[in-house]
Amino acid sequence: MTTIRDNDIEQEAMKRSFYHLIVNGEKIKSSTGETIKTYNPATGELVAEVAKASKEDVEKAIASARDAFDNGKWKMYPVGRRAQVLNKIAAIMRSRFNELVELEILDTGKTFHAAQGQVSQAIEDFEFYAGAIVGHRGVVNNVPGQFHNYTEKEPVGVCAQIIPWNYPLMMAAWKVAPAIAVGCSVIVKPASLTPLTAIILGEICLEAGVPAGVVNILPGSGSDIGNFLVEHPQVDKVAFTGSTPIGKDIMGKASQSLKRVTLELGGKSPNLVFEDADIDAAVDGSLFGIFYNSGQSCEARSRLYVHEDIYDEFLNKFVEKTKKLQLGNPFDKGTHVGAIIDQVQLDTIDSYVQSARKEGAEILVGGNISKPNGYENGFWYEPTIIANVNHDMTVVKEEIFGPVVVLMKFKNEKEAIRLANDTEFGLGSAIWSKDGARATRVANQIQAGIVMVNCPFSAFPGTPFGGYKQSGFGRELCIETLDLYTETKSILSYYGSRPLNPFGL
Ligand code: NAD
Ligand code: MN
């Protein structure tokens, strides 16, 4: 059994018991002295205490972000210099890799493998945008004769970035990297349950040379300061990742000042296994698709549809492997499934499973709260497979955000596509088939922002991530994201030798 428990850096991470807000380049306590306590969901133990931002702190952060944007030098730097700072952020993150992995595990209860992958990606996001920003520029357009038209990409301004608890550092990186790459200032509001790594990221930004006020990090209550940010007239844009109901609320409130909005919301992503699939690859990919991050993923493939000809074979293999998934010490490299974020989420998951039982579905595996040995005080749920379901059932319609998959049969391609699209969401989707023509045909008809073909992974830096329908709009993690943090300005000039006199007076 290999763990990183004895790592020196881990000891460092453990020693630190208080985390400050980052406002205007300084580490400060809350104006009210209030704090948030953050717990390890795997054990229920206290991890650290964090300053809890008040409205006064947010007001201060907005003023500093505004000043840094309106009067500061960051957006005026040559683009190569901003790129250099982003690369430096990545380099410092890399040098503190183990500490970041450790903290992410302690704060979320996720597994070592998951945390390691996500911290790696967060680093690569900064490297990606350091490169991408250099090629992000306006164009020259064709206009008549003596005219000339070009466009400039100008940073949108002060951005509020609201982050969920399921991928605390990675979501912060997805938002901070493109925004500061283009020259914006940001106010990041991490989820109260998982604020630690975003605070470290803020400290690293300062160390790497991001000027004061450009990156502010303020953990605090969503309904209180999250809402305050969304309604504040000095904020130009809101980028939000979280649940669909809160996303709708934010969009409504942001409309008052016509703020720019991007929303990455919930999902109920379909996973289609065709009769011509490599069944073992489909089993392994489907397992990862739902149980990775304990199912607490917006793009979790939580609706599994299998062609009737291979249903029994697939089901047997899928059930066998699900039973082999290990829960327990998140630091143990042999653990596959980590903890659930808190008691509230655990209760939500369990009540969905109860609803399935009541509506007549069959629980093939799991279906219970779990108490792994030595982790009895944490929040755990058994990997769960639910069969005998139909599209009227709550567990098929609603996002559960836990390690619970519903399994259904289909007869043909047409039915598979109809079932896949029979949802109000449209984030992820997966297709398992060895027939390239079929995979392309089905991919073209699926209403979702992401299609995974014979592939368990949903994104790398550079691939667009975001939803159709009620999964939100806007794409992160890609070059196009830079457009969502900029305005396009059109500059039209006249260079004729004679002055124009359109009224002819
Ligand atoms: P949530 O919507 O409750 O909270 C997300 C963030 O918004 C938190 O920081 C929270 O404090 C803040 N918030 C809450 N109420 C607010 C308000 N009224 N105004 C402003 N901010 C507010 O969601 P969660 O429970 O943290 O995360 C789980 C949800 O996020 C799931 O539904 C999941 O599908 C979704 N999610 C989506 C993506 C994506 O990329 N589409 C990624 C991760 C998570
Ligand atoms: Mn925590």
Side-chain angles (χ1 to χ4, degrees), residues 167-230:
Y167 297 103
L169 182 65
M170 207 173 79
M171 290 296 119
W174 284 21
K175 289 186 167 42
V176 173
I180 66 172
V182 302
C184 288
S185 298
V186 302
I187 295 148
V188 178
K189 198 209 80 65
S192 306
L193 293 170
T194 58
L196 303 182
T197 46
I199 295 174
I200 304 264
L201 175 62
E203 294 172 5
I204 290 175
C205 288
L206 293 176
E207 188 188 336
V210 176
V214 173
V215 174
N216 303 276
I217 316 277
L218 292 95
S221 142
S223 52
D224 187 16
I225 67 155
N227 199 33
F228 186 66
L229 279 163
V230 172

Side-chain angles (χ1 to χ4, degrees), residues 162-167 171 174 189-192 220-228 230 240-244 246-247 249-250 253 263-267 296-299 345 399 401 427 465-467 471 476:
I162 302 174
I163 313 275
W165 46 258
N166 56 347
Y167 297 103
M171 290 296 119
W174 284 21
K189 198 209 80 65
S192 306
S221 142
S223 52
D224 187 16
I225 67 155
N227 199 33
F228 186 66
V230 172
F240 171 79
T241 298
S243 56
T244 296
I246 306 283
D249 184 59
I250 286 177
K253 287 178 173 145
L263 301 172
E264 304 269 12
L265 308 175
Q296 301 169 119
S297 285
C298 45
E299 86 296 359
Q345 188 64 19
E399 180 177 53
F401 226 59
L427 190 55
F465 194 99
S471 290
E476 294 188 305

Side-chain angles (χ1 to χ4, degrees), residues 379-406:
F379 314 113
W380 299 85
Y381 206 82
E382 294 174 353
T384 300
I385 306 173
I386 305 180
N388 267 335
V389 293
N390 63 56
H391 269 220
D392 298 325
M393 290 184 183
T394 314
V395 279
V396 178
K397 287 195 280 201
E398 293 183 15
E399 180 177 53
I400 298 174
F401 226 59
V404 180
V405 67
V406 295

Side-chain angles (χ1 to χ4, degrees), residues 37-41 47 106-108 192-196 341:
K37 287 193 170 86
T38 181
Y39 295 90
N40 178 348
V47 179
L106 290 174
D107 213 5
T108 63
S192 306
L193 293 170
T194 58
L196 303 182
I341 196 68

